[in-house]
Amino acid sequence: MSKNRNDSPQPPLRRPRYGVDAPAFPATLGAAAAACYLAAGRWRSGRAALLTAGTALLAHTGVYLHTTLCGKLSVWARELDAAGLKGDEELLDLGCGRGAVLIEAARRLPSGRAVGVDLWSGKDQSGNTPEATLANAAAAGVSDRVEVHTADMTALPFATGSFDVVTSALAIHNIPSPKARYRAVDEAMRVLRPGGHLLVADFRPMAGKYAAHLGHGTLRDLGPEYWYGGPWLGVTLLHAVKEH
């Protein structure tokens, strides 16, 4: 495990910049839309179908980008407000990326601590580095209560019962094997204190499987602001409480 503290030198930012989730996906959608429009301009046969396909792909791209740049931030602000945080909790964010959830949580923890872990894959989020996350924390004015670690969420480097809240946003599904995904969920529950809250947002089928694995927890659809292109890529929130 390597640790990045909030006193590391950071490039100045006016406001946090969280990048794009899975950047290759919207880039591919946009390129496919452009190809459809170009083909429609060259060929008379099938022009209407090509224009329809191009428009659908472009709309999918637009909804995706709205979610990754704006929608998910609004959803997490709402969910963290509803979590009833007192302000002194210790919170862990799994797969924190550039800090969208981590920093939103830290804003609500003036006397607490927000810890993020990630393996910093650029495939999963554009510009994904610990330095970018700490720069965002500084821009948001919460660097005094944020730290990040390079760590695998299937083997967390924290003692049992270390945190009051564990969050994760569209991260656990990136783990390749089902067994390892369930191990990440188990690790999240392990590091929670008794009575602590687990909040995991992931694609609907995945969130349901995590709940089934745990054997408890509630599932709630997070709505159109968390659609990665359309309702077929909607996100569900799993909320589970660790038993005393």
Side-chain angles (χ1 to χ4, degrees):
M1 174 193 74
S2 62
K3 179 177 180 180
N4 299 79
R5 294 184 179 276
N6 54 19
D7 56 359
S8 301
Q10 303 300 326
L13 293 175
R14 292 184 178 179
R15 59 184 178 83
R17 298 174 182 172
Y18 298 121
V20 175
D21 297 334
F25 189 73
T28 300
L29 287 174
C36 287
Y37 286 128
L38 287 171
R42 294 175 181 175
W43 304 331
R44 293 183 179 180
S45 177
R47 178 177 295 175
L50 286 166
L51 289 173
T52 299
T55 301
L57 288 166
L58 193 61
H60 192 151
T61 306
V63 173
Y64 185 107
L65 290 174
H66 171 78
T67 290
T68 193
L69 296 174
C70 305
K72 70 177 185 182
L73 305 180
S74 298
V75 170
W76 273 103
R78 181 187 74 210
E79 295 302 326
L80 290 166
D81 283 342
L85 298 172
K86 297 177 182 178
D88 61 351
E89 290 88 351
E90 303 220 359
L91 178 145
L92 174 66
D93 187 36
L94 303 179
C96 65
R98 291 169 62 170
V101 177
L102 181 71
I103 291 167
E104 200 61 43
R107 295 180 195 273
R108 292 159 175 78
L109 301 173
S111 56
R113 182 174 66 126
V115 179
V117 298
D118 209 310
L119 293 176
W120 314 109
S121 167
K123 179 180 71 174
D124 299 329
Q125 187 169 68
S126 62
N128 193 19
T129 66
E131 292 77 19
T133 307
L134 293 173
N136 281 334
V142 296
S143 59
D144 61 321
R145 67 201 80 151
V146 168
E147 64 183 56
V148 296
H149 298 253
T150 300
D152 187 336
M153 70 179 83
T154 67
L156 293 170
F158 308 110
T160 297
S162 295
F163 296 95
D164 302 292
V165 183
V166 175
T167 59
S168 184
L170 274 288
I172 297 177
H173 77 270
N174 291 318
I175 299 172
S177 78
K179 183 176 180 180
R181 290 194 288 270
Y182 297 145
R183 189 160 60 245
V185 173
D186 290 339
E187 277 288 274
M189 294 300 288
R190 179 185 68 79
V191 301
L192 275 174
R193 296 181 177 122
H197 293 258
L198 174 67
L199 300 170
V200 175
D202 217 325
F203 294 119
R204 288 184 188 124
M206 293 295 185
K209 290 177 180 178
Y210 308 153
H213 172 73
L214 288 174
H216 68 284
T218 61
L219 295 166
R220 181 161 48 82
D221 187 275
L222 292 176
E225 284 187 296
Y226 228 141
W227 287 356
Y228 280 86
W232 50 89
L233 283 177
V235 174
T236 292
L237 183 73
L238 166 63
H239 177 205
V241 179
K242 185 171 181 176
E243 296 179 356
H244 288 276

